[in-house]
Amino acid sequence: MTAMNMVQALNSALDGKMNEDPDILIFGEDVGYFGGVFRVTDKLQEKYGLTRCFDTPISEGGIVATAIGMGAYGLRPVVEIQFADYILPAFDQLVSEAARLRYRSNGDFWAPITVRVPYGGGIFGGQTHSQSPEALFAHVVGLKSVIPSNPYDAKGLLISAIEDDDPVIFFEPKRLYNGLFEGRPDDAVKPWKNHPLADVPEEIYRIPLGKARTVREGSDVTVLAYGTMVHVALSAIEECGIDAELIDLRSIVPLDIDAIVESVRRTGRCVIAHEASRYGGFGGELSALVQERCFYHLRAPIERVTGWDTPYPHAFEWDYFPGPQRVIDAMQRTQEV
Amino acid sequence: MKNRTELSLYVPEPSGRPGDEPDFSNVALQDAGEQRCPDTLTPEIELRDMPYGLIRVLDDEGKAVGPWTPDLPADHLLRGLDAMVRTRIFDDRMFRANRQGKTSFYMKSSGEEAIGAAQSLCLGERDMCFPTYRILSWLMARDYPMTALGNQIFSNAEDPLKGRQMPVLYSARDYGFYSISGNLGSRLGHAVGWAMASAYRHDDSIALGYVGEGTTAEGNVHEALTFAGVYRPPVILCVTNNQWAISSFSGIAGGNRTTFAAKALAYGIPGLRVDGNDFLAIHAATNWARERALGNKGATLIELVTYRASAHSSSDDPTRYRPKNEDKAWPLGDPIERLKQHLIVRGDMTEDDYRELYEDCEKRVRASIREAEAIGTLGQSKPSVKAMFEQVFKEPDWRQIEQRREVGY
């Protein structure tokens, strides 16, 4: 075991898989010599050579299109889109091609590609470096969407994503890359190194896609979260003293519906937290599923804690970001009924 | 501010609309045999005149002339002719089947049959083409079973794509034929990626991608060309310029100002402009690009100048937007007639032989379609509804499993 931050854990996953499987190619903007703007592909070109890890033109559509072609040929490309905010030029490739290829060709061709995407706010990136577009992809049948919240999960989930024979969008919460973030911007940065989930094995291991993690057991309310919001919610729970059960979904497609239903039926209350704006967000789907499957166990209305329905603002970052106080308020509302 | 012309918006218009005489004087032509044939390994910088010429081999009499004349045995040409003739007969019958309600939709490739046939026979078994919906002759030339085509078109119980795709959007990996989608240009980058993978593996297979001239305006075409220029993969990127994108003439895609082959110049790859109704010229140009690709010299863009002789699809009526008889006036003639004429001029076929070949093709097409019809036309039979829920992912997740049960499968 070594203490790793999330960047190092992701790098370790890529390194381990590249070492094991010559069919894994990594490419994207600035990922080659420079090692990526967030350093996730650091030293991989040096170690595996120019044709295994290389820079691409600034062309997200081109990156995903060539990855699909390589995947159809028999390789297993892992590509990086520099920011989730820049993935939209590749939307057609992901929706119309990667997600549909296996189905429409009756298994003649498929796209075993992983698309790594730094996402989320908290870095003063304004509307072009902060967004959380996971709901756009969760709606697309044929795509998987994975969102780790800590170094240990990041490595195990990325390895599973790479080995998966279907296209996976791997959302990396960039505010968590180098340290914990609990939604309290005035606190000093908390490095990962003392966190139990920063103990990351050097070797290959896997966390199956579609298996949630219970972060904290509790009986008063179930809090569903993923990515950065897992830590925001945990901090909120610890502050307010409500005995909440916190579930880190880890992937939203496939979704661990059994874990959600089991927990909410037990607690009778549910709070859903995500950074993305509310209307049409993935919280809406979670809310509907909980209502459909747990209606007779619910003792309070389902609460959603989300970004507001505005573009991600620059100067109002902490007014927009769903911080711990808003999670506390929502949990308390569920207790008042 | 002196002598300044008032600004005005320019919207290109075709040379003729319904009621006008067909006029193709805007299509830049060159006589058969005139275009030079450089060595396949020539540096790109010495090829920059090529996109403005027109590679043609068959002259008006059907003789093969000039430096691009390929050395092809008669049986190769006859195989091509057989594929083209069957494509045309099959298309006509399926178009009629659509009118009879036997299928929801159909698209013909009439007038463009030489392209898929010549390129299919030129490329190897392990090469992969990334087709548009007008490349049926590729499959015909590789003897893909016509009954399976019929089953796909009728979405019947034996449909190889399990009723999931609209008619003619085939997929046939074993025949070097990638899955077609109705989105335009979105597979050109896949061809580039496939070729990059082949180069990475030190393989010897190449990729060939197609788009229509209208689709060259899509961003994904430029993305594909950029990657093809940057990484020099063994890929042939083809623009089938059939003059019409549904009702929009090629000028709406920029064809009035330059040639589509000339798009290659900005990406640093060779661009060839080829008579798309000339089986021999297509074969020769494709083989040139293939040799170049296998010489590790990277991609080539080929514009195939042709004419969409039929409607865009079974849902289209071209008499509403283009002059009548444009296909008869098309200066590059009919690809089947031209290859037939060549075989006669070569002494490899007589008119009687051709009649025999045609009747044989007709018989085979008819028998295959009949076989597919016996399995069922649209709505008469279909794959199990279970298939609707399969292959969304490699393994279904709980949603497909629950929903399949919900509909009773």
Side-chain angles (χ1 to χ4, degrees):
Chain A
M1 292 287 204
T2 315
M4 293 189 199
N5 64 26
M6 201 183 279
V7 171
Q8 292 162 330
L10 292 163
N11 183 270
S12 169
L14 295 171
D15 188 2
K17 283 307 295 176
M18 285 181 95
N19 186 44
E20 184 184 87
D21 182 356
D23 287 342
I24 292 172
L25 262 58
I26 291 177
F27 50 99
E29 295 155 19
D30 302 303
V31 307
Y33 183 84
F34 182 53
V37 296
F38 293 107
R39 323 299 309 147
V40 174
T41 56
D42 191 30
K43 298 216 161 47
L44 296 177
Q45 185 180 81
E46 191 184 317
K47 192 162 175 188
Y48 296 101
L50 201 57
T51 61
R52 296 281 314 272
C53 178
F54 55 87
D55 293 330
T56 62
I58 302 171
S59 172
E60 292 78 13
I63 292 167
V64 176
T66 46
I68 295 169
M70 287 182 184
Y73 175 95
L75 302 184
R76 206 170 271 283
V78 182
V79 300
E80 176 176 306
I81 301 296
Q82 202 161 77
F83 284 86
D85 315 79
Y86 305 158
I87 201 171
L88 296 176
F91 202 55
D92 186 35
Q93 283 298 328
L94 291 164
V95 176
S96 312
E97 297 294 336
R100 303 289 149 79
L101 189 56
R102 180 191 295 280
Y103 188 79
R104 73 167 190 242
S105 71
N106 191 29
D108 243 2
F109 301 94
W110 60 95
I113 66 169
T114 304
V115 182
R116 292 186 34 251
V117 195
Y119 90 100
I123 64 154
F124 275 103
Q127 61 184 270
T128 54
H129 304 80
S130 308
Q131 294 173 89
S132 299
E134 69 276 6
L136 295 178
F137 297 95
H139 185 62
V140 178
V141 287
L143 292 180
K144 295 183 177 178
S145 291
V146 178
I147 311 172
S149 71
N150 59 72
Y152 184 86
D153 283 7
K155 180 169 175 180
L157 289 168
L158 181 56
I159 288 168
S160 293
I162 292 170
E163 292 175 351
D164 200 282
D165 284 334
D166 290 308
V168 181
I169 320 276
F170 195 84
F171 291 100
E172 300 170 1
K174 58 177 148 350
R175 179 65 211 232
L176 300 182
Y177 269 150
N178 295 303
L180 267 177
F181 180 65
E182 295 169 338
R184 302 174 194 277
D186 299 330
D187 285 6
V189 175
K190 291 188 183 171
W192 276 110
K193 69 171 184 279
N194 299 320
H195 195 282
L197 291 168
D199 259 350
V200 178
E202 297 280 357
E203 58 272 18
I204 299 270
Y205 62 92
R206 297 161 186 87
I207 295 173
L209 308 185
K211 202 86 198 96
R213 178 176 72 96
T214 304
V215 180
R216 182 190 190 282
E217 291 181 358
S219 55
D220 291 344
V221 56
T222 299
V223 180
L224 304 177
Y226 46 85
T228 308
M229 288 307 290
V230 171
H231 304 283
V232 175
L234 185 61
S235 171
I237 293 165
E238 283 166 355
E239 183 184 325
C240 74
I242 293 173
D243 184 27
E245 179 145 306
L246 174 60
I247 296 180
D248 177 356
L249 296 176
R250 297 204 285 203
S251 67
I252 57 172
V253 180
L255 182 70
D256 192 346
I257 187 68
D258 294 339
I260 296 169
V261 169
E262 190 281 320
S263 176
V264 177
R265 284 189 181 169
R266 195 155 29 73
T267 63
R269 295 175 167 88
C270 183
V271 170
I272 297 158
H274 60 58
E275 286 183 59
S277 52
R278 176 172 309 191
Y279 192 88
F282 193 67
E285 181 60 39
L286 289 170
S287 175
L289 286 166
V290 168
Q291 184 276 134
E292 285 163 0
R293 286 156 202 254
C294 308
F295 184 77
Y296 294 106
H297 296 78
L298 284 175
R299 279 173 272 172
I302 299 163
E303 289 282 340
R304 283 187 284 168
V305 183
T306 69
W308 304 122
D309 287 318
T310 69
Y312 202 106
H314 185 247
F316 309 115
E317 179 133 43
W318 306 120
D319 304 287
Y320 176 92
F321 189 92
Q325 191 54 51
R326 282 165 61 192
V327 180
I328 292 171
D329 294 346
M331 287 192 294
Q332 279 170 347
R333 282 195 297 274
T334 66
Q335 304 302 306
E336 286 160 7
V337 184
Chain B
M1 295 297 284
K2 264 188 295 182
N3 299 326
R4 191 180 249 190
T5 316
E6 190 184 46
L7 291 176
S8 59
L9 178 66
Y10 172 70
V11 178
E13 285 192 282
S15 57
R17 287 294 192 188
D20 296 335
E21 281 304 308
D23 172 12
F24 287 112
S25 55
N26 62 324
V27 179
L29 297 179
Q30 199 173 3
D31 283 341
E34 264 192 7
Q35 178 64 299
R36 70 189 183 101
C37 182
D39 185 82
T40 54
L41 301 184
T42 307
E44 183 275 333
I45 197 168
E46 291 165 30
L47 297 168
R48 293 187 182 167
D49 59 312
M50 298 298 287
Y52 301 103
L54 187 67
I55 297 167
R56 303 179 68 188
V57 171
L58 293 174
D59 69 10
D60 293 345
E61 277 81 52
K63 286 202 303 284
V65 295
W68 284 91
T69 304
D71 183 20
L72 295 174
D75 62 340
H76 195 89
L77 298 179
L78 283 164
R79 219 177 132 192
L81 186 65
D82 176 276
M84 290 161 68
V85 169
R86 276 189 294 127
T87 301
R88 186 160 301 176
I89 296 170
F90 187 89
D91 274 352
D92 285 339
R93 288 186 169 260
M94 280 301 178
F95 204 81
R96 245 178 290 149
N98 167 265
R99 293 294 182 250
Q100 294 163 350
K102 292 176 180 173
T103 172
S104 58
F105 181 76
Y106 196 72
M107 300 181 100
K108 296 164 75 167
S109 34
S110 308
E112 303 173 43
E113 295 94 339
I115 295 167
Q119 297 192 312
S120 182
L121 294 176
C122 177
L123 263 56
E125 266 184 35
R126 294 186 55 255
D127 298 331
M128 183 62 67
C129 93
F130 294 73
T132 65
Y133 38 65
R134 246 183 269 285
I135 305 292
L136 172 59
S137 57
W138 175 288
L139 288 173
M140 293 291 193
R142 294 193 175 199
D143 289 321
Y144 184 82
M146 290 185 283
T147 307
L149 295 174
N151 293 339
Q152 197 279 331
I153 292 160
F154 297 142
S155 298
N156 67 21
E158 297 295 323
D159 175 357
L161 302 184
K162 303 277 183 192
R164 298 189 190 126
Q165 260 295 34
M166 273 179 86
V168 316
L169 302 185
Y170 315 112
S171 173
R173 186 172 192 133
D174 295 343
Y175 295 80
F177 195 87
Y178 191 70
S179 160
I180 308 175
S181 114
N183 298 61
L184 297 181
S186 53
R187 276 92 54 231
L188 205 65
H190 302 192
V192 173
W194 178 287
M196 285 171 71
S198 175
Y200 167 74
R201 281 255 193 97
H202 309 297
D203 196 352
D204 60 359
S205 75
I206 69 164
L208 181 148
Y210 294 98
V211 289
E213 89 286 351
T215 300
T216 60
E218 287 280 10
N220 52 31
V221 171
H222 298 273
E223 291 161 4
L225 282 162
T226 299
F227 278 66
V230 170
Y231 301 106
R232 301 191 204 163
V235 65
I236 306 172
L237 301 172
C238 299
V239 177
T240 55
N241 175 6
N242 68 8
Q243 314 303 319
W244 290 95
I246 305 188
S247 71
S248 302
F249 85 114
S250 59
I252 289 292
N256 272 3
R257 294 287 191 178
T258 182
T259 72
F260 291 99
K263 305 260 182 210
L265 296 173
Y267 300 98
I269 64 177
L272 305 179
R273 189 164 169 268
V274 180
D275 178 346
N277 288 13
D278 178 340
F279 183 94
L280 273 69
I282 300 163
H283 199 290
T286 307
N287 200 48
W288 186 94
R290 177 171 178 263
E291 289 290 320
R292 187 175 174 90
L294 291 174
N296 216 20
K297 296 288 181 198
T300 300
L301 178 69
I302 300 181
E303 175 185 354
L304 297 149
V305 183
T306 182
Y307 181 79
R308 194 193 81 208
S310 59
H312 165 72
S313 75
S314 54
S315 308
D316 176 44
D317 176 9
T319 65
R320 297 173 62 130
Y321 53 77
R322 65 184 188 186
K324 211 194 265 180
N325 297 328
E326 251 198 2
D327 58 324
K328 306 284 183 303
W330 175 242
L332 299 175
D334 177 86
I336 293 179
E337 284 302 316
R338 287 177 69 193
L339 182 56
K340 168 194 159 193
Q341 192 56 34
H342 175 61
L343 279 156
I344 290 173
V345 168
R346 270 172 65 131
D348 289 315
M349 201 171 70
T350 63
E351 283 286 355
D352 283 344
D353 293 338
Y354 179 74
R355 207 167 304 125
E356 208 172 293
L357 177 142
Y358 190 92
E359 281 165 13
D360 176 59
C361 286
E362 222 175 14
K363 216 183 293 171
R364 284 148 64 205
V365 170
R366 202 186 308 135
S368 305
I369 295 179
R370 209 173 278 161
E371 212 176 302
E373 284 184 340
I375 297 163
T377 57
L378 180 69
Q380 289 181 339
S381 80
K382 67 176 181 187
S384 167
V385 176
K386 218 173 110 193
M388 178 166 76
F389 293 102
E390 289 166 347
Q391 283 172 323
V392 177
F393 298 103
K394 189 178 183 188
E395 302 295 340
D397 71 24
W398 54 267
R399 299 171 297 170
Q400 290 88 42
I401 293 167
E402 278 188 8
Q403 291 165 18
R404 196 185 76 200
R405 286 193 194 126
E406 194 176 329
V407 294
Y409 291 85

